[in-house]
Amino acid sequence: MMNFPILSLIIFLPLLGSFFVFFSRSKNDIGAIYISILTTFVNLLLCIFLWWSFENNFQGFQFVEEKNWISGYIKFKLGIDGISILFIVLTALIAPICVISCINSVKVRLKEFLIAILVLETFMIGVFCSLDLVIFYLFFEAGLIPMFLIIGIWGGPRRVYSAYKFFLFTLLGSVLMLVAIISIYTLTGTTDLLQIYEIKIPKEYQNILWLAFFSSFAVKMPMWPVHTWLPDAHVEAPTAGSVILAAILLKMAGYGFLRFSVGMFPFGSEFFTPLVYSLSVIAIIYTSLVALMQNDMKKLIAYSSVAHMGYVTLGIFTFTKQGIEGSMFQMISHGIISAALFLCVGVLYDRMHSREIKSYGGVVNYLPKFSLIFIIFTLASLGLPGTSGFIGEFLVLVGAFTKNYLVALLATIGVVLGAAYMLWLAKKVIFGQITNDKVKKLSDVNKSELVLLSILAIITITLGFYPNLILDTVDISVNNLIYNYENEIAQKISNLE
Amino acid sequence: MNNISALYPEVFLSLGIMSVLMIGVFIKNSYNLVNKLCLSILFITIAIIFNSLDNSEKVFLGSFSKDKFSDFIKILILVSSIFVLSTTQNFINNIKISKFEYPILILLSILGMFFMVSANDLILFYLGLELQSLALYILASINRSDLRSTESGIKYFVLSALSSGLLLYGCSLLYGFTGSTNYEIIQTQLSDNNIGALFATVFIIVGLAFKVSAVPFHMWTPDVYEGSPTSVTNFFAVVPKIAGIAVIIRFMDVPFKMILSEWQLIVIFLSIASMILGAVAAIGQTNIKRLLAYSSIGHIGYILAGISTGEINGYSSSIIYLTIYVIMNLGAFSCLYFMRVNSSYTETIDDLSGLSRNNPFLAFAFLIIFFSLAGIPPLGGFFAKFYVFIAVIESELYFLAIVGLITTVISAFYYLKIIKLIYFDDNKREFDQVKDLNSSTVMIISCIFLATLFLYPSIFNNIIISIFNI
């Protein structure tokens, strides 16, 4: 194993880049753009290198770094396993895409926008690397500041309301998590995640602590009924903001459930499984129905995100190998597909300045390349076999069927509804009669947009045909997670007997 | 034999004050000169304290205690006063209240605070408190041509005199029921059965709560903050708070140590009430000084939460909070000196709108300081709260912790309002280009500190924990 602190480098490289962007002075912010593209791209290469040098068969955490931080009792500890490495690569992949996509679409204060994106990248990668609860909380919360500014400064007409709603909802959820983290510290004497896994939190505290973590992750996920901030935030955020929000920020919660809720509180997780199942099923069916009624493309995709996240929570709490690996797959695939869909909406919005579904129709006649890509992602989103969307949903449903028929049955209805609203969106926007003359004047995707979207399309299809690319990486970590969980539960049952 | 060397800082400070006063009287328009002299006096006093940092002793029949705790608090008071005096010079010259009495009064109140934090005896404590308060009354009304300033001076005087009266009544009751004015003897005499002394405790806590503006004894704060000139508000928001909190900690740690169960509920109530009022009442404010007044009430609530644990960990977390609070407020007030429109200072929050477009650096400073005040990680304010909540939860005061965190969310709302005005809204009024080297230095120091504290958050911990090992 290398001794070089590669994780710290990956985390703080974008932050360093943001300093250079801050002090760069050039006409039209050309310098700032080049610096940001360079930083995010180098970071992507580093992350791919990290993935390449990652040992799939290694038990436990790799690339662990440890430094004294708060008087020796809280350590700055980083490390990755099969679950986190994928999210890090996803983050590093999405960041350059956001930077490139915002060059054309962000008209005012581009430099500040790039700074916000780079700082946000630092915090997001930090969340997935941290092996200490306090460090995790720090990065988890710090992401609010740049995202608040991204929505508030560059957003749409109701940006202030949305930015506030986003900030206060997530903050309220997270402060309870802070209480829980400090309580864990007083209970176990450490906030080091690995030590907590060893020490094990006393059974009688697990339920209440689980709820405190849940309050934070449920808001971030978002789960029904605290999902209402997401459509607002998505609609008002600029394209790059929506992409980051959908692709990565939502995944932090799923990651949190796997790493913290299930890992630290097996009894709590078991106890509250019915709650998570019901909320997930409601999310899947209810938000799919709501998505059917939307007039705004971004809102529709936002509600579809809530529904897709319902599958993720459902899969995690099946505690089966298929379910959890399906959730992982679903998160990665949703990260790519929803990012691409928001970029597609951004392409249309940049040209027409409207997100209303009604104002489009017959786009295929004038934007053939765009339409092809849009259809690919629509089909991927509804889970067509051969795309990454299918594998995730399929595995989650297989996992759910082994645990609870009713829940699985209801979740399957969601698949049908998902097909309904996505096809309906495609029909109204891409096909059909041209009702708006402005559509005739639209120009097809330009080179940079085409390249970005094609890369995402290739990834989607590759993952659809070769899912082992992801499943191999997570396999050992997920096995470990389930093994520990079942061990604990089995002990509890044997104690009862 | 009494060792006078323990009193060197106080002796030097009082001699310095008298000589500077003479200079001020005999030289005309001597404000700038006196200000510089006062700054150098403060610097030398710091040097004197550093010179005898390790000694701790009790002199004058145990009535004056020089220990690590008082040394730390005195250095904190001196450093923050240096920042206040140097940042306010430009402001005072601009609004033409350049009276030489101003820095001298500040020094006098510092002298009073020195005796307050070192006192180990009720009488010395009360004398120090009165010296400090008298100087502060005059400071509040130093702009005598301004109606608001005189009004705030009178208001502060009347209410403060009342609270001093309560405090004195409490002190005399305490003396009556324990037979001594010495803190250590009182500690041994106080017990849960001594009902009369418990009454005295309540009176003393009320008097002290008034001095640090804890709810429900906070009424004067918003008015005095708003009415006084910004330079004086800057001083009020920072330095007397340090002394007040230090005195509360010393009272709780020495004379009232054995009756924790009696005062704990009172302090918890003060803490919860301050946090809630500080968060809720600030929402509707339109004047930034009033807003900062309510914000400081809220912050005092968090500091009291740490004190209410009644343990060394709690006290040290409160001192850490206090230190970070001081740095944040110094930064926040130095930002206010840049709010000038058509060569007059403005205090209206709405005037900040669109600041990020024509003054990005000032806007960025507001961003860091206000997010830090809101306690959002990774900025300094978060760590302040973090340590307090660790102490509170370790003492199993879960209710207090949850109230504290929920008020954090509520108060985030009004801090966000300022950020929103600065970054999201359109420009309404353009600020003058103010060149003020001192204020910008303090602003930059404060921002850099708050933004980089996460690299080494335990920078104060070791020092502060060591000051309690008396």
Side-chain angles (χ1 to χ4, degrees):
Chain A
M1 200 69 61
M2 290 187 305
N3 288 322
F4 182 73
I6 186 165
L7 290 182
S8 302
L9 178 70
I10 290 174
I11 293 178
F12 291 109
L13 186 72
L15 194 66
L16 190 73
S18 73
F19 276 112
F20 284 109
V21 173
F22 186 69
F23 289 109
S24 71
R25 301 233 176 281
S26 57
K27 214 176 155 195
N28 296 333
D29 296 329
I30 297 288
I33 292 171
Y34 280 126
I35 294 170
S36 344
I37 292 179
L38 186 73
T39 332
T40 48
F41 201 69
V42 168
N43 221 25
L44 176 61
L45 291 180
L46 279 172
C47 287
I48 290 173
F49 171 72
L50 187 74
W51 195 12
W52 177 74
S53 54
F54 180 84
E55 304 250 351
N56 280 346
N57 299 320
F58 186 82
Q59 298 265 353
F61 288 85
Q62 309 181 27
F63 305 100
V64 175
E65 293 170 28
E66 224 178 298
K67 285 180 199 73
N68 269 344
W69 193 51
I70 299 182
S71 309
Y73 61 84
I74 293 175
K75 291 196 176 111
F76 188 84
K77 191 167 180 181
L78 306 174
I80 51 170
D81 68 350
I83 296 173
S84 35
I85 177 75
L86 291 171
F87 289 113
I88 295 169
V89 175
L90 179 68
T91 314
L93 174 74
I94 296 296
I97 290 176
C98 287
V99 170
I100 295 170
S101 79
C102 74
I103 295 171
N104 293 323
S105 56
V106 173
K107 298 283 188 285
V108 286
R109 296 204 260 177
L110 181 58
K111 203 168 100 176
E112 284 91 334
F113 192 84
L114 293 170
I115 293 173
I117 297 251
L118 288 174
V119 172
L120 194 56
E121 191 187 355
T122 287
F123 294 148
M124 291 185 301
I125 296 181
V127 164
F128 298 124
C129 290
S130 41
L131 282 188
D132 186 288
L133 292 176
V134 178
I135 309 282
F136 168 77
Y137 182 80
L138 202 73
F139 284 123
F140 191 76
E141 281 289 276
L144 290 182
I145 300 176
M147 201 61 212
F148 175 73
L149 296 176
I150 287 176
I151 298 175
I153 300 179
W154 295 278
R158 285 173 74 231
R159 61 210 156 105
V160 175
Y161 170 77
S162 305
Y164 265 77
K165 199 169 175 183
F166 164 75
F167 195 97
L168 295 175
F169 257 69
T170 24
L171 185 65
L172 186 64
S174 317
V175 288
L176 291 173
M177 183 164 76
L178 182 62
V179 178
I181 289 175
I182 298 175
S183 311
I184 290 174
Y185 173 69
T186 55
L187 282 174
T188 63
T190 179
T191 52
D192 183 335
L193 197 62
L194 299 185
Q195 286 183 26
I196 294 172
Y197 283 164
E198 291 289 311
I199 296 171
K200 296 191 173 60
I201 291 163
K203 219 186 298 178
E204 58 268 33
Y205 295 103
Q206 285 205 4
N207 286 353
I208 185 91
L209 291 175
W210 188 92
L211 272 181
F213 274 78
F214 179 73
S215 72
S216 171
F217 296 145
V219 171
K220 201 90 170 188
M221 193 87 193
M223 293 175 81
W224 185 87
V226 281
H227 65 283
T228 54
W229 63 270
L230 185 74
D232 284 308
H234 266 317
V235 169
E236 299 305 329
T239 305
S242 301
V243 170
I244 289 192
L245 198 59
I248 303 156
L249 288 186
L250 303 188
K251 307 301 175 291
M252 286 182 185
Y255 172 78
F257 274 127
L258 282 173
R259 175 77 78 231
F260 301 100
S261 298
V262 178
M264 291 195 303
F265 319 119
F267 300 119
S269 304
E270 196 213 5
F271 185 78
F272 286 108
T273 301
L275 172 74
V276 177
Y277 280 176
S278 7
L279 292 184
S280 307
V281 169
I282 294 176
I284 292 171
I285 294 178
Y286 168 76
T287 50
S288 299
L289 289 173
V290 174
L292 273 170
M293 297 297 296
Q294 297 307 315
N295 301 321
D296 184 308
M297 289 192 278
K298 267 189 157 180
K299 234 175 183 160
L300 190 147
I301 301 171
Y303 278 110
S304 87
S305 290
V306 181
H308 282 126
M309 290 297 111
Y311 288 106
V312 173
T313 43
L314 182 62
I316 292 173
F317 283 85
T318 58
F319 308 114
T320 58
K321 193 165 177 236
Q322 297 90 333
I324 295 186
E325 288 190 358
S327 298
M328 278 297 301
F329 204 94
Q330 173 80 345
M331 282 195 267
I332 302 293
S333 114
H334 175 261
I336 292 161
I337 296 170
S338 64
L341 282 173
F342 278 117
L343 284 173
C344 288
V345 175
V347 167
L348 286 180
Y349 182 77
D350 287 344
R351 290 166 173 70
M352 288 269 285
H353 297 284
S354 165
R355 289 185 302 256
E356 289 282 308
I357 296 174
K358 270 184 216 150
S359 47
Y360 296 94
V363 170
V364 69
N365 299 322
Y366 295 90
L367 286 77
K369 287 184 218 157
F370 171 80
S371 304
L372 174 67
I373 292 168
F374 191 82
I375 292 296
I376 290 176
F377 288 118
T378 319
L379 294 177
S381 176
L382 64 82
L384 185 78
T387 61
S388 62
F390 169 72
I391 314 279
E393 277 178 12
F394 177 73
L395 285 175
V396 167
L397 290 174
V398 168
F401 266 110
T402 62
K403 287 279 169 170
N404 191 328
Y405 274 110
L406 180 67
V407 169
L409 200 68
L410 289 170
T412 319
I413 297 175
V415 178
V416 181
L417 289 172
Y421 61 73
M422 285 318 288
L423 288 176
W424 181 75
L425 173 72
K427 179 195 158 244
K428 288 274 171 105
V429 174
I430 303 292
F431 305 110
Q433 294 294 315
I434 301 171
T435 47
N436 189 339
D437 284 342
K438 280 187 194 161
V439 172
K440 292 178 184 164
K441 291 174 196 146
L442 292 181
S443 55
D444 209 343
V445 281
N446 62 28
K447 262 186 197 150
S448 70
E449 289 161 348
L450 188 66
V451 170
L452 290 184
L453 290 169
S454 315
I455 290 173
L456 292 174
I458 290 168
I459 296 173
T460 313
I461 293 170
T462 316
L463 289 179
F465 280 101
Y466 187 59
N468 277 357
L469 199 63
I470 287 181
L471 298 180
D472 280 349
T473 314
V474 298
D475 199 44
I476 294 283
S477 304
V478 169
N479 276 347
N480 253 344
L481 191 75
I482 296 170
Y483 175 77
N484 287 338
Y485 170 79
E486 284 178 345
N487 230 5
E488 290 277 305
I489 301 293
Q491 269 178 13
K492 176 187 157 194
I493 292 167
S494 68
N495 284 349
L496 283 178
E497 287 164 355
Chain B
M1 186 59 206
N2 281 323
N3 189 355
I4 189 86
S5 71
L7 259 79
Y8 279 163
E10 285 79 4
V11 172
F12 175 77
L13 196 58
S14 26
L15 289 177
I17 292 168
M18 285 173 219
S19 39
V20 174
L21 186 61
M22 287 301 136
I23 295 172
V25 172
F26 285 107
I27 301 178
K28 271 194 177 168
N29 297 331
S30 55
Y31 164 71
N32 286 321
L33 176 69
V34 169
N35 203 28
K36 287 198 180 75
L37 286 173
C38 287
L39 278 172
S40 43
I41 290 175
L42 294 179
F43 272 115
I44 297 168
T45 319
I46 291 184
I48 294 172
I49 294 177
F50 264 106
N51 200 23
S52 60
L53 212 50
D54 293 329
N55 311 340
S56 52
E57 54 188 329
K58 295 196 169 64
V59 290
F60 295 109
L61 303 175
S63 67
F64 186 92
S65 159
K66 180 208 174 297
D67 46 38
K68 281 184 176 171
F69 176 74
S70 65
D71 282 346
F72 179 83
I73 298 292
K74 283 174 191 170
I75 291 172
L76 195 57
I77 289 175
L78 288 171
V79 172
S80 43
S81 310
I82 288 172
F83 281 131
V84 171
L85 278 185
S86 51
T87 48
T88 52
Q89 193 169 0
N90 211 343
F91 174 84
I92 288 173
N93 283 325
N94 280 337
I95 65 161
K96 301 189 178 59
I97 49 167
S98 48
K99 303 188 178 73
F100 72 88
E101 292 93 337
Y102 167 76
I104 292 173
L105 283 168
I106 283 187
L107 256 61
L108 272 171
S109 73
I110 292 171
L111 184 64
M113 292 172 205
F114 272 28
F115 282 110
M116 275 165 74
V117 297
S118 267
N120 198 34
D121 185 282
L122 291 176
I123 295 176
L124 187 64
F125 156 70
Y126 188 76
L127 288 176
L129 183 84
E130 281 305 285
L131 178 56
Q132 176 231 16
S133 305
L134 277 172
L136 293 184
Y137 304 146
I138 308 171
L139 274 177
S141 51
I142 192 137
N143 192 4
R144 10 171 225 260
S145 54
D146 181 16
L147 200 61
R148 287 194 311 167
S149 179
T150 29
E151 183 201 319
S152 80
I154 293 287
K155 204 172 245 167
Y156 186 41
F157 172 67
V158 172
L159 289 172
S160 191
L162 182 70
S163 86
S164 294
L166 290 176
L167 193 66
L168 189 60
Y169 184 51
C171 289
S172 54
L173 274 179
L174 204 55
Y175 172 67
F177 281 97
T178 60
S180 174
T181 54
N182 185 288
Y183 286 1
E184 267 111 13
I185 299 175
I186 293 173
Q187 184 186 359
T188 59
Q189 295 295 317
L190 274 186
S191 68
D192 292 346
N193 304 325
N194 196 339
I195 303 290
L198 296 181
F199 268 105
T201 320
V202 175
F203 278 112
I204 289 179
I205 291 177
V206 168
L208 292 175
F210 179 89
K211 301 292 175 196
V212 296
S213 67
V215 178
F217 312 104
H218 65 285
M219 313 299 188
W220 58 278
T221 322
D223 296 332
V224 173
Y225 271 45
E226 190 190 358
S228 314
T230 311
S231 57
V232 177
T233 314
N234 192 350
F235 185 74
F236 273 7
V238 175
V239 187
K241 294 279 183 342
I242 304 175
I245 292 293
V247 165
I248 293 182
I249 289 177
R250 198 186 276 281
F251 260 97
M252 299 312 171
D253 195 32
V254 187
F256 298 161
K257 191 172 187 165
M258 297 301 157
I259 50 165
L260 168 70
S261 55
E262 306 296 328
W263 59 259
Q264 189 173 33
L265 266 181
I266 305 178
V267 179
I268 289 178
F269 170 76
L270 290 176
S271 162
I272 289 179
S274 308
M275 289 190 289
I276 291 176
L277 187 112
V280 176
I283 292 173
Q285 301 305 324
T286 54
N287 181 304
I288 192 148
K289 277 157 74 182
R290 271 188 103 81
L291 183 122
L292 284 171
Y294 283 110
S295 130
S296 80
I297 292 173
H299 285 291
I300 289 295
Y302 293 102
I303 296 175
L304 289 175
I307 295 177
S308 71
T309 60
E311 283 167 26
I312 298 295
N313 279 343
Y315 299 148
S316 48
S317 73
S318 294
I319 297 284
I320 296 171
Y321 197 112
L322 184 69
T323 316
I324 294 172
Y325 162 84
V326 164
I327 295 166
M328 291 191 289
N329 261 20
L330 286 172
F333 274 96
S334 54
C335 290
L336 301 194
Y337 299 125
F338 292 91
M339 291 175 61
R340 285 187 77 182
V341 180
N342 304 330
S343 20
S344 70
Y345 288 92
T346 166
E347 292 166 7
T348 319
I349 292 176
D350 281 340
D351 287 345
L352 283 170
S353 58
L355 182 67
S356 66
R357 279 161 220 268
N358 49 35
N359 199 339
F361 279 96
L362 183 60
F364 193 62
F366 266 107
L367 179 81
I368 288 184
I369 291 166
F370 276 83
F371 268 124
S372 181
L373 283 167
I376 307 294
L379 300 169
F382 165 72
F383 291 100
K385 290 203 168 76
F386 180 68
Y387 291 125
V388 166
F389 287 124
I390 285 187
V392 168
I393 291 176
E394 271 181 346
S395 305
E396 301 189 336
L397 303 168
Y398 295 107
F399 181 68
L400 186 58
I402 289 174
V403 171
L405 286 165
I406 288 173
T407 51
T408 305
V409 180
I410 302 173
S411 58
F413 181 77
Y414 64 81
Y415 294 121
L416 288 183
K417 198 171 93 179
I418 308 234
I419 309 288
K420 174 213 139 204
L421 280 170
I422 292 176
Y423 275 92
F424 303 174
D425 287 2
D426 289 329
N427 202 2
K428 280 187 197 145
R429 303 173 76 178
E430 205 158 312
F431 286 167
D432 303 349
Q433 290 293 330
V434 183
K435 284 220 164 49
D436 184 347
L437 191 64
N438 289 336
S439 302
S440 30
T441 315
V442 174
M443 192 169 84
I444 289 167
I445 290 175
S446 162
C447 286
I448 289 178
F449 177 85
L450 295 173
T452 57
L453 185 67
F454 77 94
L455 294 176
Y456 187 50
S458 49
I459 182 162
F460 297 124
N461 292 21
N462 296 332
I463 311 170
I464 288 175
I465 287 166
S466 76
I467 62 174
F468 284 97
N469 298 328
I470 305 166

